[in-house]
């Protein structure tokens, strides 16, 4: 079965070729040097090339994602309008606000920075933060807390994790989805423990951490180094991206390199302006967490609570509700695009106009034939055939019943024949036996919606009954193929799609009593979903007449640190 790929990430890291003047903080330094990672900064306040050239460059970076017709609010302003100066004046307000809610959500990995800790102890904090940050990608905090506790109980240190294998890690991750995240943690731990230069802990240089440790991008590197090691380095995750576009009133394509570069530049400037002294050595980590908390809990994607925001008076988007931006001092801003408007009023109607709306890519339709193959032995034993997906790629390393792509016009008979032909390549059993009447039957066709794939699974159930004590032998293949008992099936590393397929045959996941046949006669010779419609469509008389939007889960936005799969 195929998995989703979540490439509509809200943040894309743009690597710069610049060097860094960063120096590691030694264990006995007190206070640590105020060091930061130097990267190219957006040209805030500097003279710009001709506006037409800049706009042409931006247009080439990303496709237009706003409608090209209809009224617009032009918002004439200069690049100086996006200055962070007003936010700097309110930094203490945000830090004070964060102290009132630091412990509110009960996140066990959120601990105060302690400069007295040894580098080994800081390394342990880095490991704990790393695990939490990877888990929080596309998963709600409330869900992650329990998973994080179980993970740390099983693998208390990065050295413990490095000794694990991918099956153990996938099993611990089961239910969180996006299994590549789990594998990146395992690979990163093995890298750290296999090279003496890391001294058994994650690097405290964000550039090295990002470059050398699997699954760590610029955001995660900054989060670990600022919170665990007290390094002065910025972060921009999905929440901060949205927060900054509103505070600075930036209406530009979200994933355009120019937008990303500007927002990271703003984040760096704000870190440099923090009131850093010996008594506040962990201030960068606090500041970064405060920004994330504000974006997550107050400046939400929909219905932001402006009245509760400690930065309201510095928010340019909020100010634009009642007044237009000032005219440019020199050249107009070449970063922003016009704001669509449904009225004749030359002001924005909501701060939710920021950030600029993303292009929504159409999902592609795919279909697969799934053959749930059960063996019944002479002594009453039962086993089921599962195939392990490759270790790289979609749903990597997870198990599934034999699954084969099919054409959308395939009939149930064609799907079954295709599946049995593929099955004969992995087990030593005659396809003709499975095609006999009663040995295989069509169950149903069900939809399974991924972020960019509308999948249809055509489900068949085949039974191999014989008097032997063992199931048919497996053929030599480059894939891992196994016969699993009931207990092994329940504890196998599988995806949600497999559970849905299983439930069609046995009523629910974890059940092994076959339900009554549910075959729905196909129309026009093609397979039909059993009385089920895709949640994205309403069908009447064979035609899609209405698209129904799926409500989104209140999840943390995708970060740039990895390509999600599921």
């Amino acid at each position: 079965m195929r998995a989703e790929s979540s490439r509509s990430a809200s943040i894309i890291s743009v690597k710069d070729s610049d060097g860094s003047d960063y120096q590691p903080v030694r264990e006995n330094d007190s206070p640590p040097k105020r060091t930061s990672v130097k990267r190219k900064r957006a040209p805030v306040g500097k003279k710009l090339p001709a506006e037409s050239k800049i706009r042409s460059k931006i247009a080439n970076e990303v496709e237009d994602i706003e409608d090209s017709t209809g009224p617009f609010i032009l918002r004439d302003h200069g690049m100086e309008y996006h200055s962070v100066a007003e936010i700097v004046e309110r930094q203490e307000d945000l830090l004070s606000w964060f102290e009132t809610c630091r412990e509110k959500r009960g996140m066990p990995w959120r601990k105060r920075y302690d400069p007295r800790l040894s580098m080994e102890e800081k390394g342990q904090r880095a490991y704990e933060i790393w695990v939490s940050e990877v888990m929080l990608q596309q998963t709600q905090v409330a869900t992650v807390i329990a998973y994080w506790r179980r993970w740390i109980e099983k693998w208390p240190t990065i050295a413990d994790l490095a000794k694990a294998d991918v099956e153990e890690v996938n099993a611990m991750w089961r239910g969180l989805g996006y299994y590549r995240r789990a594998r990146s943690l395992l690979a990163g731990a093995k890298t750290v423990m296999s090279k003496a230069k890391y001294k058994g802990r994650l690097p405290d240089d964000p550039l090295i951490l990002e470059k050398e440790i699997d699954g760590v991008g610029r955001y995660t590197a900054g989060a670990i180094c600022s919170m665990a090691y007290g390094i002065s380095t910025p972060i921009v995750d999905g929440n901060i991206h949205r927060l900054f576009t509103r505070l600075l009133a930036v209406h530009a394509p979200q994933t355009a390199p120019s937008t990303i570069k500007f927002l990271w530049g703003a984040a760096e400037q704000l870190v440099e302006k923090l009131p850093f002294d010996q008594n506040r050595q962990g201030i960068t980590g606090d500041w970064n967490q405060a920004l994330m908390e504000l974006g997550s809990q107050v400046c939400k994607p929909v219905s932001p609570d402006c009245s509760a925001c400690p930065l309201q008076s510095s928010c340019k988007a909020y100010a634009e509700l009642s007044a237009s931006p000032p005219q440019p001092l020199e050249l107009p801003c070449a970063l922003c695009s016009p704001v669509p408007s449904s009225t004749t009023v030359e002001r924005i109607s909501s701060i939710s106009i920021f950030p600029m709306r993303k292009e929504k890519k159409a999902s592609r339709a795919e279909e697969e034939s799934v053959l749930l193959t059960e063996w019944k032995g002479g002594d009453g034993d039962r086993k089921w055939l599962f195939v392990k997906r490759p270790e790289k790629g979609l749903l990597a390393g997870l198990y599934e019943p034999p699954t084969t792509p099919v054409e959308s016009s395939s009939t149930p008979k064609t799907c079954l024949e295709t599946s049995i032909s593929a099955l004969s390549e992995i087990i030593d059993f005659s396809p003709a036996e499975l095609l006999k009447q009663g040995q295989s039957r069509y169950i149903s066709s069900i939809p399974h919606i991924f972020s960019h794939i509308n999948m249809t699974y055509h489900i068949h159930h085949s039974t191999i009954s014989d008097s032997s004590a063992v199931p048919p032998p497996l053929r030599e293949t480059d894939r891992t193929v196994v016969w699993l008992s009931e207990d092994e099936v329940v504890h196998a590393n599988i995806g949600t799609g497999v559970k849905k397929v299983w439930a069609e045959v046995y009523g629910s996941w974890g059940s092994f009593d076959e339900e009554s046949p549910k075959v729905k006669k196909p129309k026009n010779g093609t397979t039909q979903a059993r009385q089920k419609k895709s949640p994205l469509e309403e069908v009447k008389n064979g035609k899609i007449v209405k698209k129904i939007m799926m409500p989104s889960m209140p999840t943390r936005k995708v970060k740039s640190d990895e390509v999600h799969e599921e």
Side-chain angles (χ1 to χ4, degrees):
M1 296 176 188
R2 305 191 196 298
E4 315 171 58
S5 174
S6 196
R7 286 311 301 152
S8 57
S10 59
I11 303 293
I12 295 179
S13 291
V14 181
K15 294 185 178 180
D16 299 314
S17 58
D18 306 48
S20 170
D21 64 353
Y22 167 77
Q23 296 295 326
V25 178
R26 294 185 296 275
E27 178 178 341
N28 296 324
D29 284 348
S30 181
K33 292 182 179 179
R34 180 167 175 73
T35 53
S36 60
V37 181
K38 295 294 183 181
R39 298 182 187 251
K40 287 184 178 179
R41 192 179 289 171
V44 180
K46 295 178 66 176
K47 284 197 173 186
L48 303 171
E51 177 187 3
S52 59
K53 292 183 179 180
I54 299 176
R55 291 193 182 278
S56 175
K57 178 181 178 182
I58 293 175
N60 291 331
E61 289 176 348
V62 62
E63 295 180 2
D64 291 339
I65 57 178
E66 299 286 4
D67 296 331
S68 58
T69 60
F72 292 98
I73 302 172
L74 295 179
R75 299 179 61 244
D76 289 336
H77 61 276
M79 202 66 187
E80 69 279 355
Y81 177 59
H82 301 305
S83 167
V84 300
E86 293 179 47
I87 304 175
V88 171
E89 295 176 358
R90 302 297 301 274
Q91 284 183 314
E92 287 286 5
D93 293 338
L94 179 58
L95 290 166
S96 298
W97 172 85
F98 179 60
E99 288 302 323
T100 68
C101 57
R102 180 194 286 269
E103 310 295 338
K104 187 173 292 186
R105 290 198 283 167
M107 292 179 274
W109 55 85
R110 179 176 279 180
K111 301 175 183 177
R112 294 181 183 274
Y113 174 76
D114 187 351
R116 299 168 298 179
L117 296 179
S118 67
M119 286 307 292
E120 289 71 23
E121 291 171 319
K122 290 178 181 177
Q124 175 63 24
R125 288 282 300 115
Y127 168 65
E128 295 171 1
I129 292 169
W130 179 40
V131 173
S132 72
E133 287 297 333
V134 175
M135 286 186 172
L136 283 167
Q137 295 168 8
Q138 281 293 84
T139 309
Q140 299 175 69
V141 167
T143 300
V144 165
I145 289 175
Y147 276 90
W148 184 90
R149 291 187 188 278
R150 288 195 293 268
W151 183 284
I152 295 301
E153 181 179 356
K154 185 172 182 63
W155 298 298
T157 68
I158 196 169
D160 295 318
L161 176 58
K163 298 173 185 176
D165 60 40
V166 68
E167 293 301 326
E168 290 179 290
V169 167
N170 280 342
M172 181 63 67
W173 202 266
R174 190 184 300 121
L176 278 177
Y178 305 103
Y179 283 79
R180 178 170 178 169
R181 296 181 293 169
R183 296 192 301 276
S184 71
L185 283 170
L186 177 60
K190 290 183 180 295
T191 297
V192 167
M193 298 310 300
S194 66
K195 297 182 180 180
K197 68 176 183 178
Y198 297 123
K199 300 180 180 179
R201 59 179 176 82
L202 292 168
D204 54 3
D205 182 334
L207 291 177
I208 294 175
L209 187 53
E210 178 185 355
K211 180 181 179 181
E212 300 183 6
I213 304 302
D214 293 63
V216 175
R218 187 176 180 183
Y219 160 76
T220 300
I224 292 170
C225 289
S226 64
M227 298 173 202
Y229 295 118
I231 302 303
S232 181
T233 187
I235 64 171
V236 178
D237 74 339
N239 288 314
I240 297 176
H241 180 282
R242 179 177 63 257
L243 178 65
F244 279 1
T245 61
R246 292 172 177 175
L247 290 173
L248 302 175
V250 175
H251 190 262
Q254 291 191 46
T255 58
S258 56
T259 306
I260 303 305
K261 194 175 185 67
F262 172 81
L263 295 178
W264 275 96
E268 186 174 346
Q269 292 177 68
L270 288 168
V271 165
E272 290 178 351
K273 296 295 185 180
L274 288 169
F276 187 86
D277 57 44
Q278 185 168 352
N279 296 322
R280 307 182 75 171
Q281 294 179 33
I283 193 171
T284 303
D286 287 347
W287 171 255
N288 287 339
Q289 291 179 85
L291 289 173
M292 285 193 294
E293 193 75 6
L294 186 64
S296 171
Q297 301 301 299
V298 177
C299 199
K300 300 178 180 180
V302 180
S303 302
D305 187 3
C306 295
S307 63
C309 179
L311 300 180
Q312 183 196 88
S313 64
S314 301
C315 180
K316 292 182 172 65
Y318 186 79
E320 285 194 32
L321 293 174
S322 55
S324 299
Q327 291 295 305
L329 297 179
E330 295 183 18
L331 293 175
C333 171
L335 185 65
C336 291
S337 300
V339 175
S341 174
S342 58
T343 68
T344 58
V345 178
E346 281 299 309
R347 290 192 296 273
I348 65 171
S349 57
S350 167
I351 73 164
S352 296
I353 285 176
F354 304 97
M356 184 175 177
R357 179 171 55 87
K358 288 183 182 179
E359 176 188 21
K360 293 185 179 179
K361 296 182 179 179
S363 297
R364 66 177 185 270
E366 294 187 5
E367 301 188 20
E368 293 184 335
S369 178
V370 185
L371 185 61
L372 192 53
T373 307
E374 178 181 355
W375 169 78
K376 295 181 178 180
D379 57 359
D381 284 349
R382 300 169 71 190
K383 290 192 176 182
W384 289 263
L385 191 68
F386 277 78
V387 181
K388 188 178 183 181
R389 296 184 64 88
E391 292 299 338
K392 293 185 178 180
L394 303 175
L395 281 176
L398 299 188
Y399 284 89
E400 64 186 11
T403 303
T404 311
V406 294
E407 297 293 333
S408 60
S409 59
S410 299
T411 64
K413 180 181 178 182
T414 301
C415 288
L416 178 59
E417 291 174 345
T418 301
S419 285
I420 290 180
S421 176
L423 182 68
S424 66
E425 298 178 2
I426 59 177
I427 64 170
D428 187 8
F429 196 80
S430 169
E433 290 296 317
L434 287 179
L435 286 172
K436 287 182 179 178
Q437 184 69 27
Q439 294 296 101
S440 302
R441 64 186 181 91
Y442 169 68
I443 302 297
S444 64
S445 297
I446 63 171
H448 187 57
I449 307 302
F450 296 111
S451 64
H452 71 303
I453 299 174
N454 289 345
M455 178 66 74
T456 300
Y457 293 132
H458 303 300
I459 306 166
H460 291 77
H461 179 222
S462 289
T463 304
I464 301 174
S465 301
D466 57 37
S467 58
S468 63
V470 294
L474 304 174
R475 299 185 186 277
E476 289 189 9
T477 176
D478 58 352
R479 303 183 68 182
T480 299
V481 184
V482 292
W483 288 103
L484 300 180
S485 65
E486 290 186 7
D487 185 65
E488 290 170 332
V489 167
V490 171
H491 293 92
N493 294 320
I494 64 164
T496 304
V498 172
K499 292 184 178 181
K500 290 175 67 174
V501 167
W502 189 275
E504 289 296 303
V505 179
Y506 297 104
S508 63
W509 172 248
S511 172
F512 298 89
D513 295 326
E514 192 174 339
E515 288 202 332
S516 301
K518 303 177 181 179
V519 180
K520 178 178 174 62
K521 291 183 179 180
K523 298 178 181 179
N524 302 324
T526 60
T527 53
Q528 299 291 322
R530 183 171 48 85
Q531 299 295 339
K532 295 183 179 181
K533 304 183 184 72
S534 162
L536 297 179
E537 302 172 354
E538 182 178 308
V539 182
K540 289 184 179 179
N541 299 324
K543 295 182 180 181
I544 298 175
V545 297
K546 182 179 179 182
K547 289 286 184 178
I548 304 173
M549 297 305 297
M550 291 283 287
S552 59
M553 293 292 288
T555 57
R556 183 173 177 176
K557 289 291 186 179
V558 181
K559 303 179 197 132
S560 61
D561 297 0
E562 67 168 358
V563 178
H564 293 308
E565 304 169 357
E566 211 174 331

